[in-house]
Amino acid sequence: MPPTPRPGSKSRPPPTWAHYLNTSIDLPSLSSIAWQAPGAQLPQPTERPIPISLINPDPIIWLEQHFYIPETRGPIVLDVYQKQALRTALAKDDDGLFTNSTILWSDIKKSGKSTIAAGIVLWRAFQIDALDGWGSIYIIANDLKQADSRVAYYLRRGIMLNPEIRDLCKIRLGSYKVTLPNHTFIEAIPIDPSGEAGSNADMVVFSELWG
């Protein structure tokens, strides 16, 4: 006599389509998945103003007050020649516009080029339409790894080391993006002229141009 199949054993016949028709399934409520009816008013995103202490048109003063590095356990300390170069590179005319549209920064190895570039990016991000926001800055290198592991890395480090800025910025590691409370964002991307065509960036930083 053949053995009687036990419930759940391999010899048990598979369930039929009728079995599934008679089985109830608990689905999540529409409100629990934030579903909105067509035409419904969407909630406005929370927006925080940039603190007055972080709005300063002078990049050198801003860096030496707010851009932290591990070596000093506090703000960066710029050399005299670095200050002179930054004042020349970031000079403005009588209308408040930058006199230089393209800046090439060259210095000896291990002189802090990428760190200073990261500091300038963060300074600029906090100054772009500080009251209105919605600015965009891109950090670009030969590939994504290089863009994210140089200037963008020092940028994130500076944010994490400064408690005031750390509480304001949202770091999205998966998308290589940092977002400020007024929706201005900084993003690390690889060189992709066709993919980035049409961008209206407020600032673009190129790293490791020799590659």
Side-chain angles (χ1 to χ4, degrees), residues 51 71 107 195 199 203 210:
E71 291 83 354
D107 205 344
S199 171
M203 183 180 188
W210 57 268

Side-chain angles (χ1 to χ4, degrees), residues 60-74:
I60 295 172
I61 294 177
W62 195 94
L63 261 64
E64 294 194 324
Q65 289 181 348
H66 303 292
F67 190 66
Y68 284 30
I69 60 174
E71 291 83 354
T72 63
R73 300 182 184 275

Side-chain angles (χ1 to χ4, degrees), residues 41-178:
Q41 183 67 34
L42 296 177
Q44 295 299 314
T46 303
E47 183 171 323
R48 299 170 58 188
I50 299 295
I52 298 297
S53 61
L54 294 174
I55 302 176
N56 192 325
D58 190 317
I60 295 172
I61 294 177
W62 195 94
L63 261 64
E64 294 194 324
Q65 289 181 348
H66 303 292
F67 190 66
Y68 284 30
I69 60 174
E71 291 83 354
T72 63
R73 300 182 184 275
I76 190 173
V77 178
L78 298 170
D79 200 297
V80 174
Y81 83 92
Q82 293 171 328
K83 294 180 181 181
Q84 292 174 342
L86 286 174
R87 290 202 186 281
T88 301
L90 300 173
K92 294 184 178 181
D93 59 21
D94 294 337
D95 295 324
L97 302 176
F98 289 106
T99 58
N100 299 303
S101 60
T102 303
I103 300 167
L104 178 62
W105 185 280
S106 180
D107 205 344
I108 61 174
K109 189 176 180 63
K110 301 301 179 183
S111 59
K113 298 185 294 295
S114 296
T115 299
I116 292 175
I120 293 299
V121 167
L122 194 57
W123 162 77
R124 181 73 178 121
F126 275 103
Q127 314 312 308
I128 295 174
D129 299 327
L131 299 179
D132 299 323
W134 300 100
S136 58
I137 297 177
Y138 294 100
I139 300 171
I140 304 176
N142 296 293
D143 56 34
L144 182 57
K145 181 178 183 297
Q146 195 174 57
D148 186 62
S149 63
R150 305 294 194 279
V151 177
Y153 167 77
Y154 297 127
L155 172 84
R156 292 193 301 271
R157 186 185 68 180
I159 291 172
M160 297 303 295
L161 290 175
N162 185 329
E164 180 182 17
I165 294 179
R166 182 176 65 235
D167 291 341
L168 291 171
C169 296
K170 182 176 182 179
I171 300 177
R172 301 178 180 179
L173 297 179
S175 60
Y176 307 97
K177 182 182 290 187
V178 173

